[in-house]
Amino acid sequence: MAIITISREMGTGAYAIAKELAKKLKYTLVDRVKIEELAPAYGLTPEILERVDEKPPSYRTAEDRLQAAHLATMELILLDCAKKGNVILYGRGAQDLIKVLTNVLRVRFIAPFEDRVEKFAEREWIDPDLARELIRRSDHQLGGFIHFYFNRDWNDPLAYDLIFNTEVSSSHAMIEAIIAASKDPRLKEGEEESMALLEDLIVAKRVEAELLKSSLARALKFCISCEDGVVTLAGHVQSEEEIEEAIELAKSVEGVTDVESELDVLSYKPVKD
């Protein structure tokens, strides 16, 4: 069956809908709780997840690059779960992470700001002014995460297949609509091709994580792709030796059958006054 991704604005009640949807479909809900459960096997601690989960990464310092490596590792958890099938990937840019797959149903939940404030304040038993501030921060953070990491406007409707306004639609109606859409024959037809593409995405993400953890991460951002196990590295490094180091590191990653380099050496010279 289709992989389902869920994007949501804070205060829409999307999480309760996702839990009920997973129950009805007998799907695994890959949310923060599930990620924390799986994280130790990937070398991630709760503290690391708190620093990187749905937060814009940066590449300025060694610590920033290490956090970007942790984020890539967390995305591996999402990809590995998607490979098992029958999953709902909740948040974390999943609709963009696996956008090349054709068996994915991308769902988004929205609602007017004040409606979200009212529902969130009631649910959490907090002052509405505090709810407004928390929702503003969440919108800014989540929108920034998608913009920074996937170079896309979080609110672009063309990135989603179904968009629900939770102010006007009942949970039952939304769930039934998603279930019906997930059974579309066109999504089923794309499963075989998508699984092959997903395997390549997983391999490329493994390579990305390893490169970001290495000293090579100080170079400009790499562009990594994979097709049938053959990884292509593009971008810039500072020496021919670093090209060889990147190739050897990529070759050591599980699932890589060969490595092709499109890396260029970019030397920096001091500017004279």
Side-chain angles (χ1 to χ4, degrees), residues 3 79 82-83 98 101 194-203:
I3 297 168
L79 293 172
K83 184 180 177 182
I98 57 175
L101 307 188
S194 291
M195 288 304 101
L197 290 171
L198 183 55
E199 187 62 48
D200 283 337
L201 285 177
I202 290 171
V203 172

Side-chain angles (χ1 to χ4, degrees), residues 29-255:
L29 177 60
V30 185
D31 57 356
R32 179 62 181 264
V33 174
K34 186 64 176 179
I35 290 171
E36 288 182 346
E37 175 189 322
L38 298 173
Y42 292 77
L44 299 179
T45 65
E47 292 75 22
I48 290 173
L49 289 177
E50 182 62 33
R51 290 200 304 269
V52 305
D53 191 14
E54 294 189 306
K55 296 179 176 65
S58 176
Y59 297 89
R60 291 187 298 273
T61 68
E63 179 62 25
D64 290 334
R65 293 189 292 269
L66 182 58
Q67 292 200 182
H70 293 324
L71 180 58
T73 303
M74 192 189 74
E75 289 181 327
L76 267 177
I77 296 176
L78 299 179
L79 293 172
D80 283 339
C81 287
K83 184 180 177 182
K84 294 177 182 177
N86 294 348
V87 294
I88 297 173
L89 304 181
Y90 189 81
R92 293 154 187 90
Q95 69 281 337
D96 296 285
L97 183 64
I98 57 175
K99 65 181 181 180
V100 299
L101 307 188
T102 58
N103 67 329
V104 180
L105 182 65
R106 301 162 178 85
V107 182
R108 179 161 170 78
F109 295 97
I110 63 171
F113 184 79
E114 286 302 323
D115 181 71
R116 292 191 283 141
V117 168
E118 181 181 349
K119 289 179 179 176
F120 186 68
E122 288 179 357
R123 188 178 75 236
E124 300 298 324
W125 290 70
I126 61 174
D127 183 79
D129 287 339
L130 176 57
R132 285 187 186 90
E133 181 61 23
L134 292 174
I135 289 175
R136 284 194 187 97
R137 289 182 183 179
S138 175
D139 287 353
H140 181 74
Q141 177 179 304
L142 295 177
F145 172 78
I146 296 297
H147 178 74
F148 187 100
Y149 204 67
F150 298 105
N151 193 30
R152 181 181 68 77
D153 181 354
W154 189 42
N155 293 312
D156 179 7
L158 296 179
Y160 312 99
D161 305 309
L162 296 175
I163 300 177
F164 295 100
N165 181 347
T166 60
E167 182 187 35
V168 298
S169 300
S170 70
S171 295
H172 174 76
M174 290 184 285
I175 289 170
E176 291 304 310
I178 296 168
I179 291 174
S182 71
K183 296 177 181 178
D184 190 309
R186 289 175 293 182
L187 295 174
K188 181 68 176 178
E189 291 169 3
E191 283 186 359
E192 185 174 347
E193 178 186 4
S194 291
M195 288 304 101
L197 290 171
L198 183 55
E199 187 62 48
D200 283 337
L201 285 177
I202 290 171
V203 172
K205 189 61 65 174
R206 287 175 185 157
V207 173
E208 178 186 347
E210 292 305 314
L211 285 173
L212 284 169
K213 286 186 288 187
S214 76
S215 61
L216 293 166
R218 68 179 181 274
L220 297 182
K221 187 177 180 181
F222 289 99
C223 179
I224 304 164
S225 59
C226 180
E227 184 175 353
D228 296 330
V230 178
V231 169
T232 299
L233 303 177
H236 300 84
V237 291
Q238 297 177 12
S239 68
E240 293 290 340
E241 290 75 17
E242 287 185 342
I243 291 178
E244 292 303 315
E245 183 180 347
I247 292 172
E248 289 306 310
L249 192 155
K251 285 182 176 179
S252 70
V253 172
E254 180 186 354

